[in-house]
């Protein structure tokens, strides 16, 4: 019998920041002879469950990779469908998220999102800005290289205006120019669907992250799968280059 990890998880040694590359929606749909968008829709149920679980377990920051800068290159109908699902998710869940104290933030070139989706997202961010619970960071139109490029542009402006001197640039100064400098680096990054790559997710911040890969497709990833990954994380020894 597969016994639940529910009772053996240690509530202390948890990742402070968990990042998730939610992959495999398309394959989940294909296996069932359904259109890809049905997979994305099913993926939303996993989002709901994982966000709830993270809040309950006491994880402080959850970054969900929902749409990459590269995903703009997908067929137009899929992109439009994803924007619609984003709108629906936010409109449907905002009351419950706000009620649970979730603070919504976003990382990425969000100004490129579909107009209505962007407006709804901004409303959700504003409405939940003072909440004290789980910080839900939605990576939307996000790319790690795009983030670094944007950071360098903004740092260059600070240099040009005389606010920063080039010889004062260090890792801390660079980090301060990322989308959310207040969010600590991810302790654990989960990727579903059997792919073993970062796909441009948090490339600067993941320098010392632990990685957890699972074959499970995102729409099948549930609380029990999350607990399994946390349990494995708790058994890892992080050395940060030391002995
Ligand atoms: C992840 O699922 C969701 C997004 C990238 C938006 P995919 O759509 O990449 O699913 P697969 O990888 O094709 O199965
Ligand atoms: C990464 O998944 C992006 C998201 C989960 C949003 P992709 O499916 O786009 O990544 P690749 O193309 O397999 O690397
Ligand atoms: Mg994929």
């Amino acid at each position: 019998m597969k016994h639940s990890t529910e009772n053996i998880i240690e509530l202390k040694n948890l990742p402070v920041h968990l990042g998730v590359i939610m992959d495999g929606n398309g394959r989940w749909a294909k296996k069932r002879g359904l259109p890809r968008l049905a997979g994305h829709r099913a993926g939303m149920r996993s989002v709901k469950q994982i966000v709830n679980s993270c809040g309950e377990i006491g994880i402080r920051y959850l970054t969900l990779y929902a749409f990459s800068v590269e995903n703009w290159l997908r067929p137009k109908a899929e992109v439009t469908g994803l924007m619609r699902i984003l709108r629906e998710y936010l409109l449907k869940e905002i009351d419950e998220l706000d009620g649970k104290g979730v603070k919504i933030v976003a990382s990425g070139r969000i100004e490129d999102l579909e107009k209505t989706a962007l407006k709804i997202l901004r409303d959700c961010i504003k409405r939940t800005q003072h909440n004290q619970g789980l910080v839900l960071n939605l990576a939307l139109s996000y790319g790690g290289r795009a983030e670094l490029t944007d950071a360098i542009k903004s740092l260059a402006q600070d240099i040009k205006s005389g606010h920063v001197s080039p010889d004062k640039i260090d890792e801390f100064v660079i980090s301060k120019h990322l989308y959310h400098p207040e969010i600590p680096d991810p302790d654990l990054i989960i990727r579903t669907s059997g792919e073993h790559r970062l796909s441009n997710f948090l490339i600067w911040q993941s320098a010392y992250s632990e990685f957890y890969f699972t074959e499970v497709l995102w729409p099948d990833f549930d609380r029990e799968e999350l607990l399994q990954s946390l349990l494995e994380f708790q058994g890892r020894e992080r050395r940060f280059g030391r002995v």
Side-chain angles (χ1 to χ4, degrees):
M1 192 186 89
K2 194 181 168 196
H3 66 97
S4 170
T5 35
E6 199 80 41
N7 301 320
I8 47 176
I9 199 108
E10 270 184 82
L11 290 175
K12 34 188 192 2
N13 195 14
L14 287 167
V16 174
H17 178 187
L18 170 65
V20 186
I21 304 172
M22 311 183 288
D23 199 11
N25 294 350
R27 277 162 284 167
W28 184 93
K30 194 171 177 204
K31 264 189 6 193
R32 289 163 177 76
L34 297 168
R36 291 180 59 83
L37 279 172
H40 294 313
R41 213 168 271 288
M44 280 303 144
R45 293 198 297 270
S46 297
V47 169
K48 189 178 159 97
Q49 195 172 138
I50 296 315
V51 170
N52 276 338
S53 298
C54 285
E56 285 160 19
I57 295 165
I59 286 174
R60 289 295 302 134
Y61 302 91
L62 172 66
T63 298
L64 296 179
Y65 202 7
F67 192 84
S68 73
V69 271
E70 287 79 18
N71 289 151
W72 289 113
L73 300 172
R74 292 191 178 192
K76 192 163 180 287
E78 181 167 348
V79 171
T80 311
L82 280 164
M83 292 298 135
R84 188 172 62 239
I85 290 170
L86 171 64
R87 291 197 306 261
E88 286 171 11
Y89 169 76
L90 292 171
L91 288 174
K92 193 160 155 273
E93 300 299 329
I94 186 62
D95 286 345
E96 192 178 326
L97 290 169
D98 190 24
K100 287 183 169 157
V102 174
K103 175 177 171 166
I104 298 173
V105 298
S107 289
R109 292 186 173 159
I110 58 165
E111 61 285 354
D112 292 340
L113 295 175
E114 181 270 328
K115 212 162 86 277
T116 319
L118 178 59
K119 177 166 186 320
I120 296 167
L121 176 65
R122 288 204 163 122
D123 288 347
C124 291
I125 292 172
K126 188 150 181 252
R127 174 167 164 186
T128 61
Q129 63 183 328
H130 300 300
N131 284 352
Q132 298 289 315
L134 173 75
V135 175
L136 174 59
N137 180 24
L138 299 173
L140 288 162
S141 191
Y142 177 85
R145 288 184 176 179
E147 178 173 30
L148 280 171
T149 306
D150 293 348
I152 291 165
K153 270 192 195 160
S154 125
L155 182 52
Q157 284 299 339
D158 284 356
I159 293 169
K160 201 174 156 199
S161 63
H163 285 94
V164 174
S165 133
D167 50 287
K168 288 284 182 303
I169 297 173
D170 58 13
E171 293 181 9
F172 181 77
V173 170
I174 294 173
S175 295
K176 284 287 157 223
H177 284 82
L178 299 175
Y179 294 133
H180 281 287
E182 78 286 6
I183 301 182
D185 290 344
D187 303 287
L188 174 64
I189 293 178
I190 296 173
R191 183 167 188 152
T192 58
S193 86
E195 308 295 355
H196 298 169
R197 55 180 172 264
L198 215 41
S199 301
N200 209 2
F201 184 56
L202 302 179
I203 53 174
W204 171 273
Q205 299 91 329
S206 62
Y208 268 100
S209 301
E210 295 293 324
F211 290 90
Y212 180 87
F213 298 107
T214 170
E215 295 294 318
V216 174
L217 303 173
W218 177 249
D220 294 326
F221 192 87
D222 58 11
R223 183 184 175 94
E224 181 56 30
E225 299 290 341
L226 172 72
L227 293 174
Q228 289 284 352
S229 71
L230 296 178
L231 196 64
E232 185 174 318
F233 171 81
Q234 293 183 329
R236 302 239 185 122
E237 188 194 348
R238 301 181 78 193
R239 283 194 286 272
F240 302 98
R242 296 157 206 242
V243 288

